[in-house]
Amino acid sequence: MTDVGRYVLALDAGGTMTDTFLTDEQGRSYLGKSLTVPENEAVSYLESVGDACETAGVSRSAVHASSALGVYAGTGMLNLVLTHSGANIGLLTTKGFELTHYLERGLTWLGQTREEEANFQLHEHTEPFVDFANVRGISERISGGTIYDSAGHSAGRVIIPLNEAEVEAAVDEFLDGGVESIAIVFLCSYVNPAHERRAKEIAEAIVARRGVDVPVVISADICPRRGETNRMKATLLEAYGGAPARKQLFGVETAAKSDGYAHDMSTLLCYGSVANIRHPRMCESAVSGPIGGITGGKALADLKGWKNLVCCDLGGTSFDVGAIVDGLLPFASTMDWCRHRLNIPCVSIDSVGAGAGMEIHVEAAFKQVRLGPKSAGSNVGVCLRHPEITVADCDLALGYLSADNFLGGKVRLDREKAIATLEERLAKPLGMDVYDAALGVLDLLHDRLGDHINGSLLSRGLNPGEYTVLAYGGSGPLHLWGLAERIEAAGICTVPWAAAFSAFGIVEAERFHRLEQTVVCILLPNRSPEEWLAEARSVDRGWRNLEERAYEELGQLGIDKDQIRFRYGITARYVGQYFVSWSAHVPRGRITADHKDVQMLIDSFEAEFRRIYPVAGRFPDAGYQIDSVFVEAITPRAPTALARYEPAGPMPDAKAEKGRRQAYTPDGGWSEFRIWDMDSLKAGNVIEGPSIIEHSMTTLVVPAANRVEFDEHKVIWYRPK
């Protein structure tokens, strides 16, 4: 790294905190944290980086000047959708399909709680990206050419020519009405984009003639995949939030460069890759922080030789779980996000509402306690500035959190106010002691966490006893003791940098662009090998097309062809299976005249299917339907490594102990806990409970029946005595 810089800088900007993970060429890491400023993320970026630099004992400008890479995963796209403040869109679509986006396949239950899902009266359609007044149907039609096409049209055949006059009239109407972005999504354009590309040419010519700055986005560039509704939504998301989200990222980049950073800023994409913020599909960055946690877990699993790992991210609002099975990242070809289902590839994460910031509500008449769904976010609880009691108030009242150590002492929490308010709003309505009531709230939270992990694994036929559980996030170590009581795992651990673990994962993520497009390839049984080979030619054509797109995209970022290598894959299913296809990498990306190349496709799909489902679920006699092909164009990355430490022995240095304080035990009653400074503990140290290990960004609670052990990479193993 010395020729390009000494540091790698990664930030995960969540709704509450902006976390920095700074690492140098020796593998030493430093953490930084600040409250997120959604209206100007450049401010919280500089504060968080400055906090990490202060820990490292070096100036912020010096770090920026000698950084090889800066990656910022923000919440820009999310904030735009939640606040309905994206661009005013005009949509051109195939005539007769103007309502596709509004009907959204009837998925009105997306993003609802289980109670809401069961109550159909609470279902409602998601807020659309585009006003129906700004939708125009255009006369045109292209054949999809699938096995289900009763008319027998070949794939990509023009059935109805594009009515160019309708396109011109619609674009003029859009511009007269003040639209800020135009999206074009025609039926079956994934097999023949000619109509979309011609409509884009017409629209851009009109935009240029009228001298306005209105981008034109087509689905053939954003998401050339089968699935009309999901493809339309992905394209609309790009039109709605792409430009505003880039503006936010450019603001962060400008702030970094003004402080000495010499390169383009990068961001994290939904499928676990780092990409330049000039990436042409900004919709692929809609989810970032939780993805960083899974890529960090994968990097740690590779280092430690763990085959199976459950990554658990507990923050203030949500509990995100991702399972790495047989060393492979969990992957999904579609993404449910903000109550929209999108054709955007992503690392698969199961989320549930649970976190230290969740509000506590009491139904006094029924002696019932309900957690959430709202969270205090950066307001923490009544102990800081939130009007409602939260789980964090309970942690503080029970002595687990220190009122003087929040954000390293930069913010002081009001423990007395938390206890008094818990007494009034929680304990008295339940007729309980305030501390027993607070402990009961933690039991409810921990039950939800344990049920979510066990359910995520068992529902897929996976045995929790074969998995290591890694807990991170600002609240992960704090509630690890409750989690450990509810799962039977091969091992349970956390890390000292747990609060910034997603930022660590951003550092460890690969640099690649994933490009995917639909193909029509159906391998029916009882067909000759020659017929199968002819059918599979579409797969090879798809790979070649995607290679050229990748060279073009990366070339615009200054990356030469000889720096790019490719991974290849397909998404496929058995003929007759609806809605679900599975992604499978293949060992080589060529279909030659050798019949073995077709068998390679089948074997790759079968191996992936057997990895997920029992062998009895196979149905090869139905034949195989390959729905799409993808390539991953991989580019060089700055090398990083976790530092390895010589074990110092089980006995910690005396200076690591900060003191003692009373805390409420999980069994009830007060006990004296030893307080340790996490940064002063070394590899090989063993800390016996009852203890509380404090870091400026997180806290690890060790009850009397447990201990923790620091291994050679300072991974903290949580074990019974």
Side-chain angles (χ1 to χ4, degrees), residues 326-348:
D326 291 334
L328 299 175
L329 284 173
F331 188 82
S333 58
T334 61
M335 178 176 71
D336 292 346
W337 179 77
C338 290
R339 301 196 66 216
H340 296 277
R341 180 162 290 176
L342 310 160
N343 261 3
I344 296 176
C346 67
V347 173
S348 180

Side-chain angles (χ1 to χ4, degrees), residues 585-641:
H585 284 90
V586 299
R588 59 188 182 278
R590 291 290 185 275
I591 302 297
T592 66
D594 192 337
H595 298 157
K596 292 180 181 179
D597 290 341
V598 182
Q599 191 62 45
M600 169 193 70
L601 301 177
I602 294 172
D603 291 344
S604 298
F605 165 74
E606 288 284 4
E608 179 65 18
F609 189 89
R610 287 194 299 269
R611 190 179 68 85
I612 302 172
Y613 296 102
V615 175
R618 297 176 61 244
F619 193 19
D621 292 342
Y624 301 90
Q625 179 173 331
I626 299 174
D627 289 324
S628 69
V629 296
F630 63 86
V631 300
E632 294 170 350
I634 306 165
T635 57
R637 51 165 287 184
T640 59

